[in-house]
Amino acid sequence: MHEPFRDPELPLPDRIADLSSRLTLAEKVGLLHQYQAPVERLGVGRFRTGTEALHGLAWLGPATVFPQAIGLASTWDPELVRRVGEATGDEVLAFHHKDPTGAGRNVWAPVVNPLRDPRWGRNEEGYSEDPWLTGLMGAAYAHGLRGSAPVLKTAPTLKHFLAYNNETDRCETSSNLPPRVLHEYELPAFRPALEQGAAVAVMPSYNLVNGRPAHLSPLINELLRAWAPDDLLVVSDAYAPGNLYGLQGYHDTPAEAYAHAVRAGLDSFTQDDDRAEATLGHLRDALDQGLLTEDDIDTAVRHALSIRFRLGEFDPATPYDDITEEVVNCPAHQELAREAARRSIVLLDNDGLLPLRDVTTVAVIGQLGDTVLEDWYSGTLPYAVTARGGIAERCTTVFCEGVDRVTLTAEAGPVTADPAGGPLSLGSAEADTFDVFDWGGGAYALRAVATGRFVSVADGVLVNDQPGPNGWEVRQTFRMEERPRGSLALRHISTGCYVGAADDGTLRLVDDADQAVWLVMDVIRDGARQAADLAAAADVAVVVVGDHPLVNGRETEDRTTLALAPAQDAVVRAVRAANPRTVMVVTSGYPLTWTATGLPAVLWSAHGGQEYGHALADVIFGDADPEGRLTQTWYRSEQELPDLLDYDIITADATYLYFRGTPRYPFGHGLSYAAFDYSGLRVTLTGDTVTGEVTVTNTGDRPGAEVVQFYTHQQRSRVKQPLRRLRGFERVRLAPGESRTVRLTLPVTELAFWDVTRSRFVVETAPHQLMVGRSATDLRLSARFEVTGESVPPRRGLLRAVDHDSYDAVTFTDAARENGEAVRAETEGAWILFRQVDLTGAASCLAVAGSTEGGVITLRLGDPLYGKSLATFPVPRTGRHDQHAIAASLAGVRGVHDLYVVFENDGITLAQLDLGAGA
């Protein structure tokens, strides 16, 4: 008879408990690594977490490649996103059935970090800068991945918890999260997929949050597990556990770090690839030292086993056993890829040039005109329809990449390329020519014309043997540094080394800039001029520009600019000057800016996967209405953005929620070939529900798709409120002259904000505005409604330092290693403000504070410099995580006042103030 854990009729907790009870402590520990060890005596096989499936199955061979996540979200269609997740889940199963150990069923997707800053290197992995829309799309994709049966098809994992939007020093930077930003912006993106049971696992992020590594966040157990209806698996990011005692230095020893991680909620260590010995040794050491108990291990094992049981691993059969490799890149998935790519395309500008009519010849131009690029988390393309390929099926095309063709010559002779793809060298032979690709941010790639292969570096030697920039460590990009007399030096971006020459003339990398070869670059063919000549002779020019997903903005690399690569920008200007009938197609994983003006039509698409060219042609020629809408603000310049590491969107006026400027293209923007009129907005408040209704009419002469967007704004509040917040939307397709009534139903509770005075959400009594329109700034109608709620009372008594209302020159930090938060002064004169504090009867104050150097805290009324001084606290020298209770008498004062806490010295840490009564 089978063991009870193999009986699918038993309750899941009983099955898990039965299997766990049969395991030795050593066997349990073996389940806490990414590569879970088998327990052969019980017939328990190997299990591996971590199959990448962000927009299709990745890294395991050819599979259907859908548009990037930012592109999928631009469809504003959760059901479509769910279908893409479902198709991806099917392909994961097909690969798993073929190779169970190579393709695991715990998938690391979706990414639900809100896209706070478009310079983030991983911008294309997320869905939106709006947390509600991010949560909606993330839950939809996760629902598709997990399947609709009680048994999981795959086990989706939300990435990356928490406040992760920078690659720059990502393992060492701390994201400053005030409570309102945490509860109103970051957490809402993670909650829906967990509460709905769509995602069953979470991956913490590399960074620290308020001074504590995200992998040790108490919110994992306090919130994430409270939201999930079942056991939640928490897997570490790759090599992140080692950072806890390495780069981050948060703990002194691996045993301490790993014990803290398990107690904080980490169940699976992704460390050292498939070499689990070191990790398991650290966990055993933690047990031997009393830092972990077997109960701690049992809790983590329960989480790990729960996923395996819910995947049906120990069942006699599952609903997915018949999925075979025939589903991979099947016709239905190809059609879905085309639909997703088509519906993700956003029409940014159009003066009537699109859709194209009566066109004989189209000039397709640009570095992205005849290629489809893979990003780090995309699958291997089974085939690729490029922009040129899709358009060529409709009409005659001519094509050029619009790149400069050059020779490179040093004093010792010209640079030549080995015809077999071997080393580049200097010599007396005739100079070879190279095409120069500008990917922005000073990153260039060189392609040898003779071989059609890109220059790369192998064992320190320059060779020409690659199809283009590729791989985790991109070795095919260089910077050009000016040298005297019009010469330049090439610097290899990946290594930081310079291109020099060996004694035999072979080009190789050198460490010393003084050893770099000085090269003169002569332009043999001007790419912009060639593009202009080609465009001038065509009916229409379609110039396709954008980014390379692996260059100048990717995992490990943020951008410093939003500008289109200068050479590509020059091509756009030249083409527009040569042919006024120019369509610019921007293909990128993030917003861009450019200098060309007067462009009659501009389209944007994320990198659209294998069917990109067909989808683009469908839209350009009008077979389909452009349905995509932006899910992120397109700014006019990076100068409109706060510092990359400033996570406080409220204070920084960041994202569409708070941005007060005029963006180039607003959140929600996207044009149709039809025209739409909005009329008759009505808003009613019945009980606990706000209902809005509006009539939308297609006033154009062709069918069209519209995304009707509802926003609200609270007009009076104790706190700074968003200028507008997306509350709902509906996609409608209307024939010419057709009208439809669109309705929003919004629970009043959704109008709440996080009240720092009481650490909970609150709905205030206040007037609100309901707005409806085509984007966050193209709002056609508005209506006012009144909500009866609470009035936030004055503060009194205990004040947590992190719950201040405003601040200057302070950072958030951890009060203790395992729990608690505080603020730390970054400079002399830093302050925090508590508004509306009732000081009546308060005769003394108790501060919990510390400082590695000692210092002074002053309490002032009304102003941090000139306000009346209420008390002064001498802060003693303490350790980093030590604070002392310091008492002081308060100057007699009554009534409600704004209270400033002024740090007279930098480095002071404050956890709380207790305004007590009596001396």
Side-chain angles (χ1 to χ4, degrees):
M1 182 176 178
H2 287 307
E3 302 92 338
F5 74 83
R6 295 190 180 277
D7 184 356
E9 300 300 319
L10 289 178
L12 179 61
D14 294 349
R15 299 178 70 189
I16 297 172
D18 177 69
L19 176 53
S20 185
S21 70
R22 298 171 186 273
L23 299 173
T24 67
L25 179 57
E27 289 168 340
K28 293 175 186 176
V29 171
L31 298 178
L32 303 190
H33 190 266
Q34 179 187 18
Y35 289 80
Q36 296 179 20
V39 183
E40 294 178 357
R41 66 184 183 84
L42 296 175
V44 176
R46 299 181 184 275
F47 186 86
R48 181 179 69 82
T49 66
T51 296
E52 300 293 351
L54 182 60
H55 53 108
L57 175 69
W59 300 6
L60 298 179
T64 308
V65 179
F66 298 96
Q68 292 174 314
I70 184 69
L72 293 175
S74 299
T75 66
W76 289 61
D77 189 337
E79 175 56 21
L80 173 60
V81 172
R82 186 202 64 77
R83 287 191 285 133
V84 171
E86 185 176 43
T88 300
D90 285 345
E91 298 199 7
V92 170
L93 259 294
F95 273 78
H96 175 75
H97 290 156
K98 183 179 179 181
D99 180 10
T101 59
R105 292 171 66 191
N106 168 235
V107 292
W108 287 356
V111 171
V112 292
N113 298 106
L115 301 180
R116 171 189 61 89
D117 193 308
R119 293 169 297 187
W120 183 32
R122 304 179 73 168
N123 192 82
E124 77 277 357
E125 295 183 34
Y127 293 115
S128 172
E129 70 185 51
D130 181 79
W132 175 78
L133 187 58
T134 295
L136 183 70
M137 294 299 179
Y141 192 70
H143 271 296
L145 287 170
R146 74 156 325 276
S148 56
V151 175
L152 298 175
K153 180 184 295 185
T154 69
T157 304
L158 298 185
K159 303 193 318 187
H160 314 77
F161 189 78
L162 175 70
Y164 172 44
N165 283 128
N166 65 278
E167 299 304 292
T168 305
D169 299 326
R170 62 179 179 173
C171 297
E172 299 173 84
T173 57
S174 180
S175 303
N176 229 28
L177 272 195
R180 282 194 64 201
V181 179
L182 170 68
H183 289 279
E184 295 177 28
Y185 191 70
E186 293 287 344
L187 292 177
F190 287 84
R191 187 167 186 168
L194 294 178
E195 283 191 330
Q196 296 168 24
V200 297
V202 171
M203 175 189 288
S205 51
Y206 284 116
N207 54 290
L208 299 91
V209 178
N210 293 352
R212 181 181 292 110
H215 278 69
L216 305 180
S217 173
L219 297 177
I220 293 172
N221 284 330
E222 291 173 7
L223 289 183
L224 301 187
R225 289 204 155 98
W227 293 340
D230 299 299
D231 282 324
L232 184 72
L233 175 70
V234 178
V235 302
S236 85
D237 209 336
Y239 283 76
N243 292 335
L244 299 174
Y245 61 90
L247 281 174
Q248 294 167 345
Y250 201 74
H251 285 281
D252 294 331
T253 69
E256 292 172 345
Y258 283 26
H260 187 177
V262 171
R263 293 197 308 272
L266 187 64
D267 309 310
S268 178
F269 288 76
T270 312
Q271 185 74 37
D272 302 323
D273 299 320
D274 60 351
R275 303 179 301 279
E277 295 80 6
T279 290
L280 303 186
H282 299 329
L283 292 171
R284 288 191 291 267
D285 289 345
L287 284 164
D288 292 342
Q289 296 171 31
L291 302 173
L292 279 178
T293 67
E294 187 167 358
D295 285 345
D296 295 324
I297 300 297
D298 285 343
T299 298
V301 166
R302 186 182 79 243
H303 300 151
L305 289 178
S306 174
I307 301 301
R308 296 177 65 169
F309 273 98
R310 287 148 66 194
L311 285 166
E313 179 179 341
F314 305 108
D315 295 351
T318 77
Y320 314 111
D321 292 344
D322 294 334
I323 294 178
T324 69
E325 58 188 313
E326 292 180 359
V327 76
V328 178
N329 193 39
C330 65
H333 290 184
Q334 293 174 11
E335 180 53 40
L336 181 60
R338 181 169 182 166
E339 179 188 357
R342 180 178 68 245
R343 295 179 58 195
S344 72
I345 294 173
V346 181
L347 181 60
L348 298 176
D349 288 308
N350 188 30
D351 70 355
L353 176 60
L354 294 181
L356 296 181
R357 307 175 186 85
D358 302 323
V359 172
T360 301
T361 302
V362 172
V364 181
I365 296 163
Q367 293 179 190
L368 288 159
D370 198 26
T371 186
V372 173
L373 298 174
E374 298 173 359
D375 61 56
W376 181 245
Y377 288 102
S378 73
T380 303
L381 288 161
Y383 65 87
V385 183
T386 67
R388 179 189 184 186
I391 294 171
E393 294 179 10
R394 310 298 188 97
C395 63
T396 300
T397 60
V398 290
F399 172 74
C400 75
E401 291 165 311
V403 298
D404 289 347
R405 181 161 291 179
V406 305
T407 59
L408 296 167
T409 305
E411 186 176 345
V415 176
T416 59
D418 179 3
L424 273 63
S425 59
L426 303 177
S428 57
E430 183 178 349
D432 282 326
T433 53
F434 297 87
D435 291 332
V436 181
F437 290 78
D438 182 3
W439 292 117
Y444 296 89
L446 302 170
R447 184 179 63 197
V449 174
T451 64
R453 309 295 279 179
F454 280 78
V455 176
S456 186
V457 174
D459 298 324
V461 176
L462 269 66
V463 294
N464 64 112
D465 64 350
Q466 293 297 307
N470 64 84
W472 175 253
E473 185 179 356
V474 177
R475 293 179 169 270
Q476 298 81 36
T477 54
F478 301 83
R479 302 199 189 282
M480 298 181 183
E481 296 186 359
E482 293 183 0
R483 293 294 186 267
R485 299 185 298 280
S487 61
L488 58 86
L490 292 179
R491 191 170 191 180
H492 190 229
I493 291 178
S494 174
T495 61
C497 296
Y498 289 86
V499 174
D503 292 340
D504 63 358
T506 299
L507 295 185
R508 61 179 304 109
L509 297 183
V510 296
D511 295 329
D512 191 346
D514 292 337
Q515 296 178 348
V517 172
W518 289 9
L519 300 166
V520 175
M521 178 181 291
D522 290 316
V523 178
I524 306 303
R525 185 190 67 202
D526 184 298
R529 183 175 302 168
Q530 180 197 25
D533 291 342
L534 199 71
D539 298 324
V540 172
V542 175
V543 55
V544 189
V545 297
D547 75 309
H548 193 300
L550 299 180
V551 179
N552 183 36
R554 52 158 293 168
E555 185 172 356
T556 73
E557 183 181 2
D558 295 312
R559 289 170 295 282
T560 59
T561 178
L562 299 179
L564 179 64
Q568 295 190 53
D569 199 38
V571 167
V572 176
R573 293 196 308 271
V575 170
R576 170 62 183 86
N579 189 336
R581 290 168 57 81
T582 293
V583 179
M584 181 169 76
V585 177
V586 181
T587 304
S588 67
Y590 49 83
L592 286 167
T593 64
W594 52 88
T595 64
T597 59
L599 290 163
V602 181
L603 290 160
W604 171 77
S605 168
H607 291 276
Q610 62 197 52
E611 284 288 336
Y612 164 73
H614 283 151
L616 182 64
D618 288 342
V619 172
I620 285 179
F621 289 96
D623 294 354
D625 198 48
E627 296 187 32
R629 301 294 185 268
L630 298 179
T631 62
Q632 193 171 19
T633 302
W634 284 45
Y635 298 91
R636 296 181 180 275
S637 167
E638 63 276 1
Q639 295 177 358
E640 295 181 317
L641 294 166
D643 187 274
L644 179 67
L645 300 181
D646 189 349
Y647 280 74
D648 184 356
I649 65 164
I650 299 175
T651 300
D653 289 338
T655 78
Y656 88 96
L657 294 162
Y658 296 95
F659 181 59
R660 297 181 182 277
T662 302
R664 185 160 198 162
Y665 301 109
F667 174 87
H669 174 72
L671 304 178
S672 167
Y673 292 149
F676 298 94
D677 179 66
Y678 288 68
S679 63
L681 176 63
R682 301 171 299 282
V683 59
T684 56
L685 181 58
T686 305
D688 296 327
T689 302
V690 179
T691 301
E693 289 186 337
V694 68
T695 300
V696 183
T697 303
N698 182 350
T699 59
D701 58 3
R702 57 171 288 154
E706 176 70 320
V707 178
V708 181
Q709 302 166 39
F710 290 94
Y711 298 81
T712 65
H713 169 62
Q714 183 170 333
Q715 296 178 302
R716 186 177 63 247
S717 178
R718 179 189 181 277
V719 301
K720 181 178 179 179
Q721 290 285 352
L723 300 172
R724 79 289 285 174
R725 182 188 291 275
L726 181 69
R727 296 300 187 180
F729 64 90
E730 184 174 331
R731 300 186 57 87
V732 293
R733 290 184 174 85
L734 301 175
E738 183 182 2
S739 296
R740 188 173 305 169
T741 297
V742 178
R743 171 178 290 189
L744 168 74
T745 301
L746 180 70
V748 169
T749 54
E750 295 298 311
L751 299 173
F753 67 90
W754 185 259
D755 175 20
V756 295
T757 74
R758 293 172 291 177
S759 296
R760 65 175 175 85
F761 278 102
V762 60
V763 176
E764 283 183 304
T765 296
H768 292 252
Q769 197 174 23
L770 177 65
M771 302 166 285
V772 63
R774 310 196 72 236
S775 76
T777 62
D778 185 3
L779 296 168
R780 303 297 178 86
L781 299 170
S782 67
R784 194 172 184 269
F785 62 98
E786 295 274 351
V787 170
T788 300
E790 301 181 55
S791 294
V792 178
R795 298 174 183 256
R796 64 180 72 244
L798 185 66
L799 306 176
R800 289 201 321 154
V802 294
D803 287 331
H804 55 258
D805 291 289
S806 187
Y807 63 93
D808 183 58
V810 301
T811 188
F812 287 72
T813 189
D814 48 338
R817 275 197 170 88
E818 296 206 355
N819 216 324
E821 293 181 329
V823 300
R824 185 177 65 246
E826 295 186 304
T827 186
E828 179 182 324
W831 52 261
I832 57 175
L833 165 64
F834 297 98
R835 290 196 176 94
Q836 297 179 305
V837 180
D838 188 351
L839 295 171
T840 301
S844 66
C845 181
L846 191 70
V848 178
S851 173
T852 56
E853 299 296 329
V856 173
I857 294 175
T858 303
L859 304 187
R860 293 186 181 274
L861 295 183
D863 187 273
L865 290 176
Y866 307 110
K868 177 182 177 181
S869 176
L870 289 186
T872 298
F873 298 87
V875 180
R877 292 190 177 190
T878 62
R880 176 165 183 255
H881 290 113
D882 296 328
Q883 290 95 39
H884 289 251
I886 315 155
S889 297
L890 294 178
V893 64
R894 297 178 60 83
V896 176
H897 301 268
D898 288 348
L899 178 66
Y900 283 86
V901 181
V902 182
F903 302 93
E904 308 292 354
N905 309 85
D906 64 0
I908 297 174
T909 298
L910 176 68
Q912 65 183 43
L913 291 173
D914 191 353
L915 303 173

